[in-house]
Each structure stands twice: as C-alpha cells, then as structure tokens.
Amino acid sequence: MTVNIILLGPPGAGKGTQARRMVEGRGLVQLSTGDMLREAQASGTEMGKLVAQVMKDGKLVTDEIVIGLIREKLENTDAPGFIFDGFPRTLAQADALGSLLDGMGQKVDGVIEMQVDDAALVERISGRYTCGNCGEVYHDTTKPTKVEGVCDVCGSTDLRRRPDDNADSLKTRLLEYYKKTSPLIGYYYAKGDLHPVDGMAEVDDVEAQMETVLKSL
Ligand code: AP5
C-alpha cells in the first residue's frame, strides 16, 4: 500500500525538518521542490540559472518548471510513498499533482497543515543553517550543532545559510504564501484531506502529532 502526504505551511514552518523525520525507517521519499531547484542551480543547468534570481527574490518559480520536476521524479522513483515538501504551492500545482497520482493509480492520502505564527517564522528563518552535504537543518538557538561548525549527522563542515533567508526576501515569500499557497488549505479541506498540526510546538512534539495523523490515514 502506498501513502502520499503533503506538508503544507509557510516558509520556516518546519516542513523540511519534519519531512526528514517522516521518511526515516518508512522507505518513503521526500520530494522537496526547493531542494530540487537549489540542486539545479548548484549544478549550473540552464533551468537552474533561470530560477536563481526568482528564488533569491522570494517569488514562486513557474508552475510549468516545478510540475515538470515532480513529474520526472514520480515517473522515475519506485517508492511506497512520497512526502511532498513545498509542493504544491498553487491551485494549478495541486490539480497537476492530483492528475499525476491518478495516472499512477494513487492519490493524495493526507495534507498536513503546519500552523505557525508569522513572528515565529521570521525568528526561525533568520537563525537557520543547513548542512551542504547531508541536508540536516539547524538553528542558531533552538538547534545548534553539538560541535560548532560540524554537522552532527555526517561530520561535514560545509554548513550554509540560504541566500533567500533575509528580511526582504522573507517578506516576499510570506506574501507569495498568503496570496498563492494558502488557498490550498480550503481546497484540501473541501476534499476532506486536511489535518492541521500545531507547528509552534517543540520539534519532537510536532513529530508526534504527525505520527498520529499518519496512523489515522
Ligand atoms: P523552499 O525551499 O520550499 O522554502 P520554503 O517553503 O520557504 O520553506 P523553508 O525551507 O524556508 O522552511 P521549512 O518549512 O522547510 O522549515 P525548516 O524545516 O527548514 O522554497 C524556496 C524557494 O524555491 C521558494 O521561495 C520558491 O522560489 C521556490 N519554490 C520551491 N517550491 C516551489 C513550488 N512548488 N512552486 C514554485 N516555486 C517553488 O525550519 C526552519 C527553521 O526552523 C530551522 O532552523 C529549524 O531548525 C527550525 N525549526 C523547525 N521546526 C521547529 C520547531 N518546531 N520549533 C522551533 N524551531 C523549529
């Protein structure tokens, strides 16, 4: 049996943090369109160059590009299910995902809405850094590395801050979220797929809430 879960929430809500925990031991695959777009930039593809400034400014990349990325992953990945992290972000993307899964004889099984206060998002984003090697996510105050400058998980010293994690870009990212992504809350509520969780809780508590949702599906 497959299980496909969408993590829905504003920038900094904790989608990436929780997606990494959800896939552990379950064989599920995390599909983060943000990570895919950053990989395209790092490898210098034409598409990567095209989206670099858009992402730095905090705007959404076109539906055509991100739907293409997801389509390719779904067609080429054999997995018992997917955790969609940062996708869909528009109604067009939500419709496209529904059609893609339908074509595979699958569906969206649940949408977890991570609810976090706007003020906390700013705090989370401005303190975030990530391991460039394994992708582990850290925070200056709430989750620093045990040894300064060294990733707890893989030992890499390649710890990075994202170019879009600045005050101006975050303002745009939040506006994009409220204008284009938040309508998905109503869309999935109407379909009976929405499961809100308190994203203001501690990371372990949020994970426990997610577990409860997964078990209920
Ligand atoms: P993307 O990479 O998806 O960024 P985002 O949605 O803005 O989300 P973030 O990665 O910033 O936050 P998160 O919710 O994963 O939080 P995290 O776990 O890191 O997208 C980047 C850009 O790519 C977009 O702006 C757009 O340009 C483009 N893009 C991507 N997908 C697209 C799409 N589908 N369509 C069009 N364009 C697209 O946590 C944040 C911090 O908080 C960390 O430091 C963490 O340690 C800390 N933290 C996490 N949980 C907690 C907690 N419970 N308590 C305290 N601290 C916590």
Side-chain angles (χ1 to χ4, degrees):
M1 208 179 88
T2 57
V3 61
N4 296 306
I5 308 292
I6 294 171
L7 300 189
L8 186 61
K15 303 181 294 294
T17 300
Q18 294 299 332
R20 288 174 63 81
R21 290 179 171 221
M22 286 176 92
V23 299
E24 263 172 42
R26 292 194 170 93
L28 302 175
V29 171
Q30 174 187 4
L31 292 184
S32 158
T33 37
D35 286 349
M36 291 176 210
L37 292 164
R38 280 184 287 277
E39 273 162 32
Q41 280 182 53
S43 51
T45 64
E46 277 311 305
M47 187 268 280
K49 288 180 199 158
L50 199 72
V51 301
Q53 192 60 44
V54 176
M55 290 177 72
K56 198 166 176 215
D57 291 343
K59 299 243 171 73
L60 288 191
V61 170
T62 64
D63 288 337
E64 192 188 357
I65 288 178
V66 288
I67 291 167
L69 287 170
I70 288 288
R71 180 185 295 113
E72 197 188 323
K73 289 283 182 191
L74 290 179
E75 285 173 356
N76 295 301
T77 312
D78 191 17
F82 296 95
I83 304 293
F84 295 93
D85 159 14
F87 181 92
R89 264 174 147 100
T90 63
L91 291 166
Q93 291 177 24
D95 282 339
L97 177 61
S99 303
L100 285 169
L101 290 175
D102 194 40
M104 296 161 66
Q106 299 182 31
K107 62 181 174 60
V108 171
D109 295 288
V111 177
I112 300 183
E113 183 207 350
M114 306 185 63
Q115 299 179 331
V116 178
D117 297 347
D118 288 347
L121 298 175
V122 178
E123 180 59 33
R124 287 186 185 185
I125 293 275
S126 50
R128 170 173 54 191
Y129 56 99
T130 309
C131 174
N133 183 48
C134 73
E136 186 67 6
V137 186
Y138 296 97
H139 189 277
D140 290 329
T141 50
T142 57
K143 192 193 167 194
T145 52
K146 291 191 181 98
V147 177
E148 198 182 336
V150 182
C151 175
D152 297 352
V153 177
C154 71
S156 170
T157 52
D158 179 12
L159 300 174
R160 304 174 183 182
R161 293 193 192 263
R162 279 172 33 182
D164 57 343
D165 280 353
N166 60 71
D168 278 350
S169 171
L170 179 59
K171 209 183 279 175
T172 309
R173 283 159 67 194
L174 270 176
L175 279 171
E176 290 281 82
Y177 175 77
Y178 285 116
K179 277 195 288 191
K180 299 175 183 168
T181 308
S182 65
L184 296 183
I185 295 169
Y187 175 95
Y188 285 116
Y189 173 79
K191 283 176 176 277
D193 291 332
L194 196 72
H195 302 269
V197 302
D198 175 15
M200 292 296 288
E202 298 277 322
V203 174
D204 288 345
D205 292 344
V206 179
E207 185 182 8
Q209 295 178 61
M210 302 263 189
E211 288 276 350
T212 306
V213 173
L214 274 180
K215 282 186 191 141
S216 74
L217 297 176

